[in-house]
Each structure stands twice: as C-alpha cells, then as structure tokens.
Amino acid sequence: MDLFPLWNSLRVAGISTVIIFFVGIFAAYYIAKAPRLVKGVLDVFLTLPLVLPPTVVGYLLLRVLGPKRILGAWFLENFGMRLTMTWWSAIFATTVVIFPLMYRTARGAFESFDETLAYSAKSVGLSNTYIFWRIRMPYCRQGILAGTVLAFARALGEYGATSMVCGYTPGRTATISTTVYQLWRTNDDGLAFKWVLVNLAISFVVLLAVNLLEKRAGRKA
C-alpha cells in the first residue's frame, strides 16, 4: 500500500490550514468592524466558495492558473513554473475551498467579543497588538479552534477542485480523495475501502482532540 496519498493529503491540508488561519483571522477581524454595507458585500464574495460546487471552484482556478491563462502564463514565462498539475497546486484549491469555514467562524467569534474588555485595556495603556493577541484571541479561542479544525478536516477530504487543478498522478499529485476515486473507477474496491478507513480514522482523531481541548478549556474557565 503506497502511503504517498496520505503524506500528500496531510501536507496539503496542513499548509492550507496554516495559510487560512492567519488570512481568515485577519479578514474576519477587520471585516467584523466594517460598515454594514461593506461587510455584506465582502461576506458574499468571501463566502461564495462555500456554496459553489467544488468543480466550479476548480474551473475558475484553472481560468486563472492554467498555463495559457493570465497568472499561469506569466509564471510559466518568467519563472518556468507551472501553477497546475503539481502536488502544491492542490494548496490553491484547498485554500480557496476551506477559507470560508475559517472566516465565518472567526468572524462570529470576534463579533461576540465584549468590546468593554478592549476599552478597559486601552485605558491602562495596553497596545492594540497586545490586546489582540493576549485578550481578544484567548477570549475567542473556541471559535478560532472550531474554524481551524473544520478547515483542516475539509481540506483533507477535498476532491472536486483539487482533482481539476492538480489531477491524479500516482506518487506525484495523488491525495486520499483522488486515490479513492481512481481505485473505485478501476474496480479496486478493497484498497479504496482501506483509504476510506484511513480518512475516517484521521477525521475521528482530529475531532476527538478538539472535544478534549474544549472540555479542558471549560474546566479551566
């Protein structure tokens, strides 16, 4: 049993989750404070990947990243680098697909924050940076944690956009999801079921860890 799909899925999901953790928090924090009209427009735009079919997201990415498209052609011409059909191409797809999960949960957490805590901290001379990382983030940690875990689990199982942007090449671009599909397509149900069990096991462990962390945080509170 070739373990490359497992390794590739974990690194793609891990890198994508790290990216959207910071980008999602940044977007959620500033958009939560934006005027209602601006917030509504940005919400619609940033949440679209959550409601669009993954294959549509993949198609739109190909329209931008393909070797004959705007960004893809520029990278290929200037750096000799293809933005599609490589293992790291999947990072583009998973990042776009999972971003709304992180953004929406983080924004909800920030909107529930009691701003009187921030005002009190400012009154004693604490900086905005200190307030954000030492007061606001700990206060909102449950929402942030939930968004991070949901995003990782979603990235781990992403198929539609990933298959369109990076394809399926054994030992190069294969992920658990694309491997399951290819094995099913070639009637190798036994090996496909093994990979399904691997994915289920990882998802179960991740969600169990989150529940334990939440209970621990609740006891400390």
Side-chain angles (χ1 to χ4, degrees), residues 10-11 15-16 30 37 43-44 52 55 59 64 73 86 96 98 115 126-127 162-163 167 169-170 185 191 198 202 219:
L10 288 174
R11 68 175 170 178
I15 294 172
S16 302
Y30 285 102
L37 179 61
D43 267 348
V44 171
L52 287 175
T55 50
Y59 172 79
V64 177
T86 63
V96 172
I98 69 176
E115 290 295 335
L126 296 178
S127 66
T162 299
S163 63
T169 304
R185 195 171 64 86
L191 190 54
V198 169
I202 295 173
R219 292 194 190 99

Side-chain angles (χ1 to χ4, degrees), residues 34 119 140 178:
Y119 298 145
C140 302
T178 57

